[in-house]
Amino acid sequence: MSSIYQELKQECYEANMQLNALNLVIYTFGNVSAVDREKGVFAIKPSGVPYEDLKPEDIVILDFDNNVLEGEMRPSSDTKTHAFLYKNWKEIGGVAHTHATYSVAWAQAQRDVPIFGTTHADHLTTDIPCAPPMRDDLIEGNYEHNTGIQILDCFRDKNLSYEEVQMVLIGNHGPFTWGKNAAKAVYNSKVLEEVSKMAFLTLQINPDAPRLKDSLIKKHYERKHGKNAYYGQK
């Protein structure tokens, strides 16, 4: 008997496999989810399942209150973070979380990733934010739910838009990204990892490397995302 969530499960499965193919995950670490706003549900990878064993039918379906609607396996341990973001940010269609090396290194250093070059500026006009490490009382509480609060607090404190900045580092933890769908969330995870790597290498070559000047930030961002964007094909 086919599931009414079959397309959503397939989307989620393919995004998770792409996360693995792009070398953004170690063993079973990391996860991607995909949302169906009309049905008020999202799909996410089951916890601890090796990517080589994962099948579309293994994907778990939940509502935004973390109730499992379909699936025999336990969902990802990060599920409550995904649910919190979907519930609060109405325009996102996919969320990804990895333990990719350079992204995690910046998170462990508790530092924003500075905007040094045009690769970064092609995707956003600000430094990639790093949320402060979670407070002890939140760690002892509903940890994964509170990770979502941690992300929203970071964006509020830094006055950032989740629609413009589609990535964040969690201090001492790692990256979360999102986008219009699961594939875009994975794309943003790869961008975040590569930009983090480039920034790290930049500081090794020149610890005093200057931030990219505003005119270049504006030019590179707007040629891809501005009202008169001309990058790519129509």
Side-chain angles (χ1 to χ4, degrees):
M1 182 176 174
S2 62
S3 166
I4 62 169
Y5 306 115
Q6 198 58 49
E7 286 187 17
L8 186 63
K9 286 185 170 188
Q10 186 68 30
E11 178 190 355
C12 182
Y13 167 77
E14 290 177 3
N16 275 283
M17 296 307 288
Q18 185 70 1
L19 207 65
N20 187 48
L22 290 170
N23 295 315
L24 291 171
V25 291
I26 308 163
Y27 296 120
T28 62
F29 305 166
N31 43 75
V32 188
S33 63
V35 75
D36 184 326
R37 291 286 179 186
E38 288 186 5
K39 291 185 175 72
V41 302
F42 69 101
I44 197 165
K45 178 182 178 287
S47 181
V49 176
Y51 288 88
E52 60 269 24
D53 297 336
L54 187 65
K55 301 182 294 296
E57 53 265 34
D58 296 332
I59 300 298
V60 184
I61 303 293
L62 304 99
D63 64 20
F64 299 152
D65 292 318
N66 298 290
N67 298 305
V68 173
L69 303 178
E70 187 171 296
E72 300 299 319
M73 297 187 184
R74 284 191 300 178
S76 164
S77 57
D78 295 299
T79 294
K80 289 182 180 179
T81 308
H82 292 243
F84 186 88
L85 294 178
Y86 287 132
K87 205 167 186 177
N88 286 275
W89 288 347
K90 308 298 185 185
E91 301 304 318
I92 62 175
V95 176
H97 172 54
T98 78
H99 287 255
T101 304
Y102 289 90
S103 307
V104 168
W106 282 92
Q108 291 180 170
Q110 299 178 30
R111 285 192 59 184
D112 295 353
V113 181
I115 183 165
F116 284 133
T118 60
T119 309
H120 189 143
D122 280 340
H123 297 90
L124 61 163
T125 60
T126 65
D127 296 350
I128 297 165
C130 181
M134 190 181 289
R135 300 194 320 263
D136 287 349
D137 61 311
L138 295 180
I139 293 170
E140 292 165 6
N142 193 343
Y143 176 70
E144 289 79 16
H145 174 84
N146 292 341
T147 300
I149 295 175
Q150 196 180 2
I151 294 170
L152 261 66
D153 285 350
C154 174
F155 271 62
R156 181 199 63 216
D157 295 345
K158 293 178 182 286
N159 195 30
L160 297 172
S161 162
Y162 75 88
E163 293 179 84
E164 291 182 17
V165 181
Q166 298 183 348
M167 54 191 71
V168 69
L169 302 173
I170 305 296
N172 297 129
H173 185 176
F176 278 86
T177 63
W178 48 89
K180 63 182 180 181
N181 51 39
K184 183 63 174 179
V186 173
Y187 172 89
N188 285 332
S189 288
K190 185 63 174 179
V191 167
L192 172 54
E193 176 65 3
E194 291 303 313
V195 168
S196 297
K197 182 178 181 179
M198 291 172 185
F200 169 76
L201 292 172
T202 298
L203 292 174
Q204 302 311 298
I205 297 166
N206 179 9
D208 298 316
R211 188 177 189 271
L212 185 63
K213 59 184 182 179
D214 288 344
S215 57
L216 274 173
I217 293 173
K218 186 173 187 290
K219 181 65 176 179
H220 273 262
Y221 187 79
E222 289 191 351
R223 71 179 191 152
K224 272 195 169 184
H225 308 283
K227 63 179 181 179
N228 297 314
Y230 58 87
Y231 177 87
Q233 304 303 313
K234 289 185 178 180

